[in-house]
Amino acid sequence: MGRDYMCAALSWMRKRWCCALTGLLDFTPFFLQCDDEHLWRQGTYWHLSTRQDELAAMPSSSPLKKAAEEIDRKLRDARYHTILHGDAKVANFCFDPLFTRTAAVDFQYCGRGVGVVDLMYLLGSCLHEEQLAYHYPSLVDHYFHSLRLHSTLSTEEFGKLEKEWRDLLVFAWADFERFLVGWAPGGHRKLHGFSQQQTQLALSQIFAG
């Protein structure tokens, strides 16, 4: 998967999130203006409330299982939410030959959430472990730089959003890892060293407190 695909998909996500973020300053999540029949109150297909069977399948001694509710709470209780695509893998994006136009499909899991949940899922969907280790910091920086340039939030407000979302990135990784461990106990290609490293960073914060 080339960097052009990644940057085009991130650009599409940035444009959509900027539209949703304009409703943040009054602390009324944008999604509440929509009909609940057409938008999930919590986006993605792996969030904890819908994956209790997978949680039960995890070993009882698992630190990740013990931290699952706290990880979920951190993501749900964040100050800054937007509208998630909910299944933002690269296969759900369409690109023109020059990567000047991007579109997305498959919005069945669209709902409220922290923007970096989509970001994590997109990066993990098309970069293998070695690529993530090399490209991850620059791609995350690229996203936030692009988002900042097009955001209608004040400099101060955007700074608060960026700090919160950056801090929550490791919890987004840990939340998805929790789902995969319970859903695919025999192993999965996305259960690799980079994902485990991010998960451990999240767990160290939870158990240190």
Side-chain angles (χ1 to χ4, degrees):
M1 179 57 59
R3 186 181 177 88
D4 287 342
Y5 286 93
M6 293 296 303
C7 290
L10 289 172
S11 177
W12 182 91
M13 294 166 74
R14 177 262 300 166
K15 291 175 183 176
R16 179 171 52 83
W17 288 348
C18 281
C19 291
L21 290 172
T22 58
L24 285 174
L25 290 180
D26 62 358
F27 306 105
T28 301
F30 182 84
F31 87 103
L32 289 177
Q33 302 173 25
C34 301
D35 189 334
D36 285 346
E37 293 182 1
H38 299 96
L39 190 68
W40 295 107
R41 295 186 65 82
Q42 188 172 355
T44 78
Y45 62 84
W46 63 86
H47 60 84
L48 186 61
S49 65
T50 62
R51 293 296 180 174
Q52 291 299 301
D53 289 345
E54 287 79 6
L55 183 68
M58 297 174 68
S60 58
S61 61
S62 167
L64 184 54
K65 182 174 185 176
K66 295 176 181 178
E69 290 188 4
E70 178 64 13
I71 292 169
D72 180 66
R73 185 195 64 77
K74 283 182 175 293
L75 294 171
R76 285 188 293 102
D77 290 353
R79 178 183 181 188
Y80 297 99
H81 285 120
T82 186
I83 299 175
L84 298 177
H85 177 283
D87 191 9
K89 58 189 176 186
V90 75
N92 282 335
F93 288 89
C94 309
F95 310 93
D96 75 343
L98 298 178
F99 301 103
T100 59
R101 293 185 297 173
T102 310
V105 297
D106 193 2
F107 288 87
Q108 63 178 315
Y109 299 110
C110 189
R112 179 179 186 259
V114 176
V116 290
V117 170
D118 270 353
L119 177 62
M120 172 280 302
Y121 190 68
L122 172 65
L123 297 178
S125 75
C126 55
L127 297 178
H128 57 64
E129 181 179 356
E130 292 77 14
Q131 291 172 321
L132 280 167
Y134 184 79
H135 291 294
Y136 184 71
S138 64
L139 286 169
V140 172
D141 287 345
H142 169 83
Y143 178 75
F144 280 109
H145 175 72
S146 180
L147 184 61
R148 183 184 300 110
L149 290 177
H150 295 84
S151 175
T152 60
L153 299 179
S154 68
T155 300
E156 180 182 2
E157 197 72 22
F158 185 86
K160 293 177 181 178
L161 178 147
E162 180 175 357
K163 182 182 186 307
E164 179 180 72
W165 282 13
R166 283 184 180 271
D167 289 346
L168 287 172
L169 259 171
V170 293
F171 296 100
W173 283 99
D175 193 51
F176 188 60
E177 177 116 343
R178 177 266 311 155
F179 160 66
L180 284 180
V181 170
W183 182 68
H188 190 278
R189 65 179 181 83
K190 293 183 181 180
L191 290 172
H192 47 58
F194 184 86
S195 178
Q196 292 168 5
Q197 178 191 54
Q198 299 301 305
T199 297
Q200 286 304 312
L201 290 172
L203 293 178
S204 65
Q205 291 185 47
I206 289 174
F207 293 116

